Amino acid sequence: MLGLTAQAQATDPIRIGVVLTTSGGASYLGEPEAKTLKIYVDQINAAGGVLGRKIETIVYDDGGDANKARTFATRLVEQDGVKLVIGGSTTGTTMAMLPIFEESETLFMSLAGGVSIIEPPRKWVFKTPHTDRMGCEKILADLKARKLTRIALIAGTDGFGASMRTQCIQVAPNYGVEIAVDLSYGAQDTDMTPQLTTVKGTNGIQAIVNTGASGQGPAILTRNYGQLGMQSIPLYQNPGVASKSFIKLSGPAAEGVRLPAAALLIADKLPDSDPQKNVVLNYQHTYETATKDSVSTFGGGAYDGLMLVVDAIKRTNSADPAGIRDALENTKGFIGTAGIVNMGPKDHLGLTLNAFHMLVIKDGDWQIVD
């Protein structure tokens, strides 16, 4: 009887819970993530699955609502009985789910940017995108190289925007950058002219950094920036807007805007010697062929999350959550769309600042600055 049970378990599907924001203001994050997971789960299953077992996903849309995310996390654990979860499109929804997954010893691969997700390290929590702190540091390093030392910081009140603001304030002194103006805007705001007028009226501002990533806020701010004729002051956006939809929504005002992003956005511009080139080109081709839409780093994060989990399952030769967790924590040299991942007990992300590229928007497309 025990033999039959073990045989059944060996052929049962590997169930993965998925909680994403595929509706609402942050759907630009969740939609490419959901599409990516479906494309690659279908692809893996068509090739025979993992260890001979198909992957079965149980998918929920939290609409960007932290309370809904928490409810779905509880449902996945208590009703659906999953022990592996990929999701958390935003920092806010991720942070709402963390306690549930930690308490139930459910492996959680977050797709959100906040550094607070993995610092301090949590035993059962990992993530794929670069952190908000890394975004700040890449921007500040570029400001320093351009000898721009007095800036205006404009922060969204979304989870990522607020967290990145905190990180920027903390690390700015390390780069000799003074935050002379510190402003914010709400998720529902449709006009950032008042904030930009304050910046315009402040003497000596050499650059503007926006940390808000939710909804159309970054695009609205960029359009208002153009309408006020502020292009003489460099504008930096954050990694949370790294998709072609931002360029389209911003219009001509996006020209010259800089932001740190993963290699995925400039896949065809990478040198052939870059170890990421084949990975990002293959993902780009697969995603764009299937969806007829441009890639974004958000979908790339979902690809990395799924493939990291699959790689860990293969290395541990089991779908046991504890074994997968241990294998993930010992991941070395994994090449993803975000960079080359080297994790450890104190690092459940495994990326360095070198995984970021500073990009500038020229002629409606991304160009590499560094």
Side-chain angles (χ1 to χ4, degrees), residues 136-157:
C136 288
E137 290 177 331
K138 190 70 175 180
I139 290 170
L140 291 164
D142 194 62
L143 287 167
K144 183 177 180 180
R146 299 173 77 185
K147 295 181 169 54
L148 304 175
T149 59
R150 184 173 161 85
I151 71 167
L153 185 65
I154 302 180
T157 54

Side-chain angles (χ1 to χ4, degrees), residues 95-243:
M95 295 306 290
M97 293 188 283
L98 286 187
I100 294 159
F101 296 139
E102 276 289 285
E103 184 179 352
S104 62
E105 299 187 343
T106 299
L107 181 65
F108 182 33
M109 179 66 73
S110 172
L111 308 182
V115 70
S116 55
I117 296 166
I118 53 165
E119 288 188 13
R122 294 173 172 87
K123 181 175 181 180
W124 294 91
V125 180
F126 298 80
K127 79 183 213 71
T128 58
H130 310 81
T131 68
D132 44 13
R133 182 190 298 154
M134 293 169 71
C136 288
E137 290 177 331
K138 190 70 175 180
I139 290 170
L140 291 164
D142 194 62
L143 287 167
K144 183 177 180 180
R146 299 173 77 185
K147 295 181 169 54
L148 304 175
T149 59
R150 184 173 161 85
I151 71 167
L153 185 65
I154 302 180
T157 54
D158 58 285
F160 181 87
S163 177
M164 185 171 175
R165 171 188 172 274
T166 299
Q167 297 303 319
C168 286
I169 290 171
Q170 288 179 358
V171 300
N174 300 340
Y175 293 84
V177 172
E178 175 196 359
I179 299 172
V181 177
D182 182 8
L183 302 168
S184 65
Y185 61 87
Q188 305 304 317
D189 288 2
T190 57
D191 182 16
M192 282 58 153
T193 301
Q195 292 92 329
L196 290 166
T197 300
T198 298
V199 173
K200 196 173 183 180
T202 303
N203 290 331
I205 297 299
Q206 297 175 302
I208 302 167
V209 176
N210 172 51
T211 70
S214 181
Q216 293 194 23
I220 292 169
L221 186 144
T222 304
R223 291 200 302 269
N224 292 158
Y225 161 88
Q227 289 159 1
L228 290 171
M230 298 178 69
Q231 288 90 335
S232 63
I233 305 175
L235 173 60
Y236 286 80
Q237 291 286 354
N238 60 80
V241 305
S243 71

Side-chain angles (χ1 to χ4, degrees), residues 42 59 66 106 171 238 240 253 293 297 312-313 352 361:
D42 287 350
V59 184
T106 299
V171 300
N238 60 80
D293 200 3
T297 56
I313 291 172
T352 68
I361 298 169

Side-chain angles (χ1 to χ4, degrees), residues 28-93:
Y28 69 95
L29 301 171
E31 286 182 355
E33 292 166 353
K35 290 175 182 176
T36 296
L37 291 177
K38 185 178 188 316
I39 290 166
Y40 282 93
V41 167
D42 287 350
Q43 191 178 93
I44 290 167
N45 287 342
V50 185
L51 305 181
R53 299 169 64 179
K54 298 293 181 70
I55 295 175
E56 177 188 327
T57 56
I58 302 170
V59 184
Y60 295 113
D61 168 27
D62 59 36
D65 185 313
N67 289 325
K68 285 185 179 178
R70 188 181 300 108
T71 297
F72 290 137
T74 302
R75 185 182 300 177
L76 284 169
V77 170
E78 295 183 357
Q79 296 180 28
D80 300 324
V82 304
K83 299 299 288 185
L84 297 172
V85 176
I86 297 174
S89 299
T90 72
T91 299
T93 55

